[in-house]
Amino acid sequence: MKIIRIIAYILVIIGAVNWGLIGFFNFDLVAAIFGEMSLLARIVYALVGISGLLLLLTYRDVYYD
């Protein structure tokens, strides 16, 4: 479970950086790399969202590892 949480943290950081770029510069890095709403971009967006939910749902587990 620890490796899944590490991957989730990395994906959430990628998502946060991407949202920061969108907010400050109106630049979507994921869309620039993979294409506007291409299959790969949608997969990245979905994985970032799932990672955020996973970290939210396992937040209390951090204290018990």
Side-chain angles (χ1 to χ4, degrees):
M1 185 68 174
K2 187 174 182 176
I3 190 73
I4 293 173
R5 191 173 289 141
I6 291 170
I7 292 169
Y9 276 117
I10 292 169
L11 287 170
V12 167
I13 290 169
I14 290 169
V17 169
N18 193 50
W19 275 109
L21 288 171
I22 291 170
F24 287 116
F25 304 111
N26 197 25
F27 178 71
D28 188 349
L29 182 63
V30 174
I33 293 172
F34 297 113
E36 187 72 30
M37 291 310 285
S38 68
L39 178 61
L40 286 175
R42 291 176 61 125
I43 290 170
V44 170
Y45 293 136
L47 289 174
V48 168
I50 290 168
S51 296
L53 288 174
L54 174 74
L55 293 177
L56 179 67
L57 294 174
T58 61
Y59 173 72
R60 297 201 69 200
D61 293 343
V62 172
Y63 296 113
Y64 303 113
D65 278 349

